[in-house]
Amino acid sequence: MTKSYYTLVVAYFGTAVVVIIWTNVLLVHRTYHHCNEITARISHRPEYYIGPNISKSGTRERNTATAPPRNKTKKLPRILCWILTDPDDLTRRATNVKATWGKRCDVLLFMSSEANRFFPAVGLNVSRGRNHIAAKAKAAWKYIYKHHFEKADFYLKADPDTYVIVENLKNYLATRNTSKAEYYGHSFTFYSNRHSNHIYMSGGSGLVLSSEALKLLVTKAFEEKRNCMPDGQGEDYKTAWCLHLCGAKPVDTRDEFGRERFLPFQPGIHLLGKYPKWYIYKDINKALKGYNCCSSYPISFHYVNGENMHSLEYLFYRAHVKGINEAFPDKTGSSLNL
C-alpha cells in the first residue's frame, strides 16, 4: 500500500472523530436550553390551594386546607367573622366555633342578646330567641360598621353550627374588589322560579359582604329604608332585600365547573342528595348531588354539630393520606381543649 493510501485513511477517520465530537457538543447544548425552557414553564405553573388530589395537570396534589396559595405574592384580604348567637348558646355551640375555625379569622365576634366579658360576647340589647334574629342581625351589622369597619376588607356572618374553611374564603375573595357593593354565599330564590331576580344568600352557610356593601347597607338601607328589615325570623332574605334596595349585587359563587362553594348542609347530605323539600324548592342551582355537587375548594358547611365540627377540623387540618401528603407535619401539635 502506498503512503498516500495511509494518509487518506488517517484523514478519513480524523474527520469522522471531529464530526462525532461536534455532534455531541450540539446535542448537549440543545438539551441544556430545552431543560431550561421546561424549568421556566414549570416555575410559572399555578399552585393549588386546597382541593382535589388530582390537579388539572394530572399530578397528585395534597388535600389539606393549609396548602400555599396559587399566587404567593397575592395579598389575601382581611376577614371579620361574626356569629349570631344567644347567651345560652355560647357554651353549647359557639364554643366549638371559637375552638376550631373561628381562630383563623382576622377578627372574631360573637353577637348575643347580652354581653359576656368572659367568653367574650357583644351585647346588642335585643331580645333573645329566633323570633328576634332579624333585629339582632341588623344591630350586629350596625355595630360592626361603627366599631370594626376599618379592621377588615370583607365581613362574614355565620351561625354557631357553621363550619368555615377560612383559607378558601380568603383565597376566593382575593379576586374580588372590596370597593364594589357585592355580597356572597349560597344562592336561594324567593320563589320556585329559578330565573327570578329575587336572590338571597342562605344565612346558615354564611353571608359575606364587601366593605362597600356593608357601608351602603348601614348608611343607606338602614337609615333611608328603615322598614327594609323588620324584626322576626328570616334575617337572611330580609338582609338581601335591604342590600337590593341600596344597590348591592349578589354574586354567583359557584366554581368554574358549576359546583357550590357555600354549602347549606353537612358534606354527606350534599353528596347523597338527601335534601329536604324546602331546599329543592329554593335552591337556584337545582340542588345538585354527588361529587359534582360541591367545589373542590369548599368554603362552608351548615348544620354541623359540635362533634362533627371537630371531626372536620381534624380531617382538614391534621389528617394526611399516605403517599399523597404524609410528608407534611401536624400543623398545630396542640391538644384538644374544649
Side-chain angles (χ1 to χ4, degrees):
M1 295 182 180
T2 64
K3 183 177 180 180
S4 60
Y5 175 79
Y6 285 109
T7 301
L8 182 61
V9 171
V10 171
Y12 174 81
F13 281 103
T15 302
V17 170
V18 170
V19 170
I20 292 172
I21 294 174
W22 182 246
T23 301
N24 284 324
V25 170
L26 289 177
L27 181 61
V28 170
H29 180 74
R30 292 180 62 185
T31 302
Y32 172 80
H33 285 282
H34 183 62
C35 289
N36 280 346
E37 182 181 358
I38 293 175
T39 302
R41 290 177 182 176
I42 293 175
S43 65
H44 289 86
R45 181 181 298 168
E47 295 179 330
Y48 283 85
Y49 200 57
I50 140 181
N53 291 331
I54 307 298
S55 73
K56 293 179 182 178
S57 63
T59 58
R60 299 188 75 83
E61 302 285 346
R62 58 184 290 201
N63 186 18
T64 166
T66 54
R70 300 176 189 177
N71 185 352
K72 293 182 180 180
T73 63
K74 180 169 58 179
K75 183 178 180 181
L76 296 178
R78 299 168 299 166
I79 304 293
L80 181 148
C81 308
W82 70 272
I83 311 301
L84 186 65
T85 186
D86 263 334
D88 298 339
D89 213 22
L90 292 177
T91 56
R92 185 169 64 91
R93 295 193 301 172
T95 186
N96 297 309
V97 173
K98 185 178 179 181
T100 56
W101 65 267
K103 56 191 175 185
R104 301 183 186 95
C105 301
D106 296 285
V107 179
L108 176 63
L109 301 173
F110 293 90
M111 298 298 189
S112 180
S113 301
E114 301 173 5
N116 185 321
R117 63 188 181 92
F118 300 105
F119 190 78
V122 177
L124 296 174
N125 193 28
V126 177
S127 300
R128 67 176 67 187
R130 289 188 56 82
N131 291 328
H132 301 286
I133 58 175
K136 188 182 298 182
K138 182 176 182 179
W141 287 122
K142 294 172 71 172
Y143 178 92
I144 290 167
Y145 180 73
K146 180 178 180 180
H147 297 282
H148 298 278
F149 183 68
E150 300 296 335
K151 298 177 183 177
D153 303 302
F154 294 91
Y155 310 84
L156 164 70
K157 175 267 168 187
D159 288 346
D161 57 350
T162 307
Y163 186 89
V164 179
I165 305 171
V166 179
E167 294 88 346
N168 280 359
L169 175 60
K170 286 190 172 188
N171 194 61
Y172 168 72
L173 292 174
T175 64
R176 310 304 303 185
N177 189 342
T178 61
S179 64
K180 291 185 177 181
E182 297 179 337
Y183 57 102
Y184 318 87
H186 184 99
S187 300
F188 282 161
T189 179
F190 286 105
Y191 311 109
S192 59
N193 179 10
R194 293 189 175 93
H195 300 290
S196 169
N197 292 326
H198 299 282
I199 295 173
Y200 70 100
M201 302 304 178
S202 166
S205 55
L207 169 64
V208 181
L209 305 188
S210 68
S211 57
E212 183 65 15
L214 174 60
K215 178 181 177 181
L216 293 179
L217 177 67
V218 175
T219 61
K220 293 188 70 67
F222 289 166
E223 293 299 323
E224 299 176 10
K225 311 286 184 181
R226 299 196 175 187
N227 294 326
C228 73
M229 197 165 179
D231 195 10
Q233 299 186 27
E235 50 83 23
D236 45 9
Y237 66 80
K238 291 178 181 178
T239 304
W241 181 245
C242 293
L243 288 166
H244 169 74
L245 292 177
C246 67
K249 304 297 183 183
V251 175
D252 184 352
T253 59
R254 292 175 297 170
D255 66 13
E256 62 270 32
F257 303 108
R259 303 175 302 187
E260 300 286 358
R261 288 186 170 96
F262 293 81
L263 300 160
F265 299 98
Q266 296 187 48
I269 301 296
H270 288 279
L271 295 173
L272 299 177
K274 294 183 176 181
Y275 299 127
K277 290 183 178 180
W278 66 262
Y279 179 75
I280 298 173
Y281 180 82
K282 289 185 175 183
D283 186 56
I284 202 170
N285 297 321
K286 301 181 181 179
L288 299 176
K289 65 179 180 178
Y291 286 116
N292 286 326
C293 70
C294 315
S295 174
S296 298
Y297 302 86
I299 289 176
S300 63
F301 301 98
H302 189 217
Y303 295 117
V304 182
N305 61 29
E307 179 180 331
N308 288 333
M309 192 169 293
H310 287 283
S311 296
L312 289 176
E313 181 80 0
Y314 167 75
L315 291 172
F316 279 121
Y317 292 93
R318 294 172 180 264
H320 304 293
V321 179
K322 201 70 175 175
I324 296 177
N325 55 14
E326 79 278 8
F328 300 94
D330 187 348
K331 271 73 74 178
T332 61
S334 59
S335 60
L336 179 63
N337 296 313
L338 299 180

